[in-house]
């Protein structure tokens, strides 16, 4: 256990078990800052929709509307703006006509690292509300096959509305349970994104106590059960030589390293974790052990994004299927 004193967060502001686990997961020196990040609102960050406009033209349009967009470092076409301008941003034609999309930069990393190419066949296995699907479609320049799966009716319709608004015409949507997709579409995709349903630990905020009111270790384990079934389905749907990007917005090793380890154990011959080059440096390597479990040396290539006022916590794993 670390000896770093806890920072001044309100007593019992977050579930104590969550906090004590977090302390064991993240680097000791970053723990106080990470804990404090749950107490602060995130900055407003958005990206250009390349299908509709260029970054320069978007910046001009927003400036003409009296806003002050600031290019965000390291990520092309991404901007932030002063906090008191957020509401006005959501009232601009650029926002409601889909020329921009408000998205945390951590969420942009999964599509960027999957790196889909125009003309390829790509699957987004847990897609709503579609922020990552939209980025995939724009990276593919609306060319090729992009299938987006979402089983929850209300979320499925929100996904459809977002895709339509953004002009992501290439996307085929399916209101289906992702667990059955691998069996229905074996060896079909060049790349698969599994941005898995999770306990959403990285979305906790003490400003919104309902964000963690349902959290429990049981919920983490339940999420893991679903994630294991989904990652097997994703794997089955992937062509030999294809790439799977697995991500969650949870810190829990049960939902991250353990799920990747489960896949590797099932497919020791074909599944291989590969390195990722991130455009930012707020990350830590995958854990080498958690409790009694130890993980392979290749897990140093897994990435946990460390949260601050810009970035949400996030977990990323890139896995290639050997030919
Ligand atoms: N990728 C999305 C984005 O960037 O906008 C966010 C995805 S969210 C983390 C996980 C999604 O998985 C939720 O919309 C949830 O409804 C969906 N989901 C839940 N169970 C699922 C299942 N069995 N198969 C596929 N998706 C599922």
């Amino acid at each position: 256990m670390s000896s770093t004193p806890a920072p001044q967060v309100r007593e019992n502001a977050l579930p104590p078990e969550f906090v004590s686990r977090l302390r064991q997961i993240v680097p000791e020196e970053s723990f106080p800052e990470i804990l404090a990040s749950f107490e602060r609102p995130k900055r407003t960050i958005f990206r250009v929709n390349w299908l509709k406009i260029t970054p320069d033209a978007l910046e001009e349009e927003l400036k003409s509307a009296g806003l002050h967009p600031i290019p965000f470092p390291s990520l092309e076409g991404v901007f932030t703006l002063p906090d008191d301008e957020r509401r006005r941003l959501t009232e601009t034609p650029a926002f409601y006509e889909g020329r921009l999309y408000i998205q945390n930069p951590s969420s942009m990393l999964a599509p960027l690292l999957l790196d889909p190419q125009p003309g390829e066949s790509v699957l987004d296995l847990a897609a709503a509300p579609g922020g990552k699907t939209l980025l995939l479609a724009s990276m593919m320049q609306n060319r090729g096959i992009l299938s987006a799966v979402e089983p929850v009716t209300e979320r499925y319709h929100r996904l459809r509305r977002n895709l339509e608004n953004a002009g992501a015409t290439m996307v085929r949507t399916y209101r289906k349970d992702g667990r059955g997709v691998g069996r229905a579409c074996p060896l079909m995709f060049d790349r698969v994104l599994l941005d898995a349903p999770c306990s959403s630990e990285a979305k906790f905020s003490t400003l919104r106590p309902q964000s963690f009111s349902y959290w429990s270790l049981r919920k983490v384990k339940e999420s893991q059960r679903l994630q294991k079934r989904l990652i097997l389905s994703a794997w089955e749907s992937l062509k030999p030589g294809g790439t799977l990007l697995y991500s969650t917005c949870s810190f829990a090793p049960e939902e991250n390293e353990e799920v990747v380890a489960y896949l590797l154990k099932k497919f020791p011959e074909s599944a291989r974790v590969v390195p990722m080059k991130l455009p930012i440096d707020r990350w830590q390597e995958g854990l080498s052990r958690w409790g009694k479990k130890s993980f392979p040396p290749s897990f140093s290539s897994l990435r946990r994004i460390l949260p601050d006022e810009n970035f949400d916590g996030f977990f990323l794993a890139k896995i290639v299927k050997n030919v």
Side-chain angles (χ1 to χ4, degrees):
M1 222 20 181
S2 142
S3 59
T4 311
Q8 290 303 305
V9 288
R10 276 169 288 143
E11 207 174 329
N12 294 330
L14 291 164
E17 194 178 10
F18 165 73
V19 175
S20 98
R21 283 165 52 88
L22 185 67
R23 191 176 196 127
Q24 294 168 60
I25 294 167
V26 301
E28 186 181 344
E29 64 281 7
S30 310
F31 177 70
E33 188 200 345
I34 289 175
L35 198 53
S37 76
F38 292 100
E39 295 263 338
R40 291 194 303 260
K42 291 273 189 259
R43 289 174 76 195
T44 299
I45 298 175
F46 58 97
R47 62 173 174 76
V48 62
N49 175 4
W50 298 90
L51 294 173
K52 290 201 164 183
I53 197 167
T54 63
D56 286 350
L58 177 65
E59 197 174 352
E60 259 331 290
E61 181 180 346
L62 295 178
K63 283 181 178 165
S64 314
L67 299 173
H68 300 87
I70 308 155
F72 189 79
S74 320
L75 291 168
E76 198 190 347
V78 179
F79 298 89
T80 181
L81 87 177
D83 289 337
D84 60 355
E85 292 186 5
R86 184 186 170 98
R87 181 148 165 243
R88 279 169 55 216
L89 180 71
T90 62
E91 291 166 353
T92 57
F95 175 77
Y96 56 76
E97 290 169 10
R99 288 190 287 285
L100 64 86
Y101 191 85
I102 298 177
Q103 187 174 41
N104 187 269
S106 295
S107 286
M108 302 174 197
L109 295 174
L112 293 174
L113 293 165
L114 185 60
D115 194 25
Q117 302 299 311
E120 285 186 337
S121 168
V122 177
L123 169 66
D124 185 348
L125 193 56
K132 297 183 189 69
T133 323
L134 292 176
L135 186 49
L136 293 170
S138 67
M139 294 172 78
M140 297 173 77
Q141 300 164 17
N142 256 340
R143 288 193 278 124
I145 293 170
L146 177 51
S147 300
V149 174
E150 170 60 49
V152 180
T153 302
E154 204 185 307
R155 293 179 67 83
Y156 172 80
H157 289 299
R158 188 156 162 231
L159 166 72
R160 300 255 320 170
R161 281 196 302 277
N162 282 339
L163 295 173
E164 192 179 340
N165 196 35
T169 50
M170 74 177 302
V171 186
R172 304 172 185 180
T173 54
Y174 300 89
R175 189 172 9 162
K176 294 237 177 283
D177 189 318
R179 286 173 285 194
V181 170
R183 212 174 316 118
C185 312
L187 311 178
M188 198 177 267
F189 296 97
D190 297 301
R191 299 179 204 254
V192 178
L193 173 64
L194 174 54
D195 183 37
C198 69
S199 62
S200 301
E201 291 178 346
K203 303 277 186 206
F204 290 0
S205 165
T206 58
L207 308 171
R208 291 178 288 107
Q210 73 277 18
S211 64
F212 50 83
S213 55
Y214 293 108
W215 183 89
S216 67
L217 203 47
R218 210 172 117 218
K219 169 93 185 140
V220 169
K221 298 258 169 71
E222 254 173 49
S223 296
Q224 185 196 57
R225 271 196 291 282
L226 177 56
Q227 289 152 351
K228 283 181 172 174
R229 304 256 324 257
L230 285 170
I231 205 169
L232 289 186
S233 174
W235 194 249
E236 211 175 339
S237 74
L238 196 62
K239 287 180 188 170
T243 303
L244 167 66
L245 200 301
Y246 177 78
S247 61
T248 75
C249 62
S250 168
F251 295 95
E254 290 85 348
E255 301 182 66
N256 295 321
E257 283 89 346
E258 288 189 15
V259 175
V260 177
Y262 170 77
L263 180 73
L264 264 53
K265 201 166 168 207
K266 283 244 171 210
F267 299 97
E269 302 298 324
S270 61
R272 181 168 49 96
V273 167
V274 294
M276 294 174 278
K277 198 165 165 22
L278 268 62
I280 57 160
D281 53 14
R282 277 201 65 76
W283 50 262
Q284 73 178 121
E285 293 182 351
L287 303 182
S288 55
R289 55 183 315 113
W290 178 247
K292 291 189 182 129
K293 296 206 166 92
S294 58
F295 303 115
S298 65
F299 276 30
S300 61
S301 295
L302 307 181
R303 295 287 179 260
R304 212 176 241 96
I305 308 298
L306 304 174
D308 64 6
E309 75 278 13
N310 291 318
F311 289 90
D312 282 343
F314 217 71
F315 176 86
L316 297 153
K318 192 170 184 175
I319 307 151
V320 163
K321 191 183 237 184
N322 292 334
V323 181

